Amino acid sequence: MPTMDAVLPLTLRDVGRAEILRCSLAKFFPELGTLWVVVPDKQVAKIEDALAHQQRGAAPVRVVPETEIVPEFALTPGLGGWYRQQLIKLAISEHVGTRAYLTLDADVIATRPFTVEEAAPEKVPYYVIPEDLHPRWYQRSEAVLGMKAVRRGVVHNVTPAILVRDAVFEIRDYFEKKTLTLGVRGIKQATALTRAKFSGKNGFARWRIMLAAGAPWTEYALYYTYLEGTGHISRYHTEVNSAIYDIERSCWYKDKVNFGEWDPKACFEGSGPPWFVVVQSNTGLEPTLVWDKVRSYIATE
């Protein structure tokens, strides 16, 4: 049976949401390989304990401290949590054992059965929203890449997404060779590179330093901008007409006031894609409220 690894950056406050995700993956994605749960170093023990006490039947995990995946965080202590998670989703490429891997957040829920063959064929599907919803994501990603986006006024699919390991390796190799530029970003990168050189520690990589010190940028805007800008997108991906998550039926921040009316039934009916739905964590909705809505569809007992 083919498998596909997945990565889930997680903090203690979202452990309850992760239980919903894990139970849904156990039910709908039996070909899940290693679920890499990457957590802040100081929270490892508490998160391991909390995950161990979650429901039987939840997908097994491998909990690792974030500095095991991105040791360069020690060189950029001021890097915010959102940017740390973005780099983790790219850096995990050097640890996963499968050709493609699934990127997750704790607020994602699997809703329908799917297989690796469906979700990650030889050329992995990706989706582009033809709306200029987040222009700054692309402006910032262009700046750190030193490369212009091929298309403007769009948004590529976000989490959950399926990235191809060799495509991320191309980005890795690009930043290993990329020269520094003038300006604040270049100064920050040069400073971090110097700290690494004189730290006396091994394990730092130039590409991760360039990205950690080169923030702000956004992982999917950077990934797809690079692949489209180099003309290499067709090596790894094919564009399709729908995302792997249900954009219309997901509960986004703007929808939180109407959550009482949210009915997920249609998300769990039929076949996909989409295979996922999102109940965005920044809605502030308690995981118990989300459980009440979806438990009957993902319960395994």
Side-chain angles (χ1 to χ4, degrees), residues 179-196:
T179 58
L180 296 172
T181 57
L182 298 175
V184 174
R185 177 177 280 106
I187 292 171
K188 289 181 178 179
Q189 290 169 328
T191 300
L193 288 166
T194 301
R195 287 176 180 168

Side-chain angles (χ1 to χ4, degrees), residues 15-196:
V15 163
R17 300 182 200 283
E19 183 174 9
I20 305 173
L21 168 63
R22 292 175 64 207
C23 288
S24 71
L25 288 171
K27 180 165 185 175
F28 294 118
F29 188 35
E31 295 179 0
L32 175 67
T34 300
L35 176 55
W36 297 82
V37 179
V38 186
V39 308
D41 291 37
K42 293 181 179 180
Q43 296 182 11
V44 170
K46 288 184 177 179
I47 289 179
E48 283 182 328
D49 182 66
L51 295 178
H53 285 86
Q54 289 182 349
Q55 291 192 46
R56 287 187 304 168
V61 300
R62 177 174 176 179
V63 179
V64 293
E66 61 184 19
T67 56
E68 183 177 317
I69 307 301
V70 189
E72 294 75 14
F73 287 155
L75 306 172
T76 55
L79 190 64
W82 191 45
Y83 296 112
R84 295 167 85 94
Q85 291 192 5
Q86 291 173 170
L87 182 48
I88 286 167
K89 289 174 183 174
L90 297 178
I92 199 68
S93 61
E94 297 186 312
H95 300 266
V96 297
T98 55
R99 176 184 62 87
Y101 63 95
L102 180 62
T103 61
L104 298 166
D105 289 330
D107 54 9
V108 171
I109 304 169
T111 56
R112 297 170 180 172
F114 67 101
T115 66
V116 173
E117 183 178 2
E118 290 175 301
E122 182 179 353
K123 293 189 177 181
V124 176
Y126 76 111
Y127 176 64
V128 180
I129 302 170
E131 296 182 56
D132 197 11
L133 301 176
H134 298 285
R136 294 179 71 185
W137 291 359
Y138 291 86
Q139 293 164 5
R140 291 170 170 178
S141 295
E142 286 176 323
V144 73
L145 283 165
M147 181 184 298
K148 289 294 184 182
V150 169
R151 39 177 139 181
R152 303 275 179 166
V154 302
V155 178
H156 294 78
N157 52 214
V158 294
T159 307
I162 299 174
L163 304 185
V164 178
R165 183 177 55 182
D166 284 350
V168 182
F169 288 171
E170 278 203 30
I171 296 171
R172 174 195 66 185
D173 296 344
Y174 174 80
F175 278 102
E176 283 290 332
K177 300 174 182 177
K178 187 179 184 304
T179 58
L180 296 172
T181 57
L182 298 175
V184 174
R185 177 177 280 106
I187 292 171
K188 289 181 178 179
Q189 290 169 328
T191 300
L193 288 166
T194 301
R195 287 176 180 168

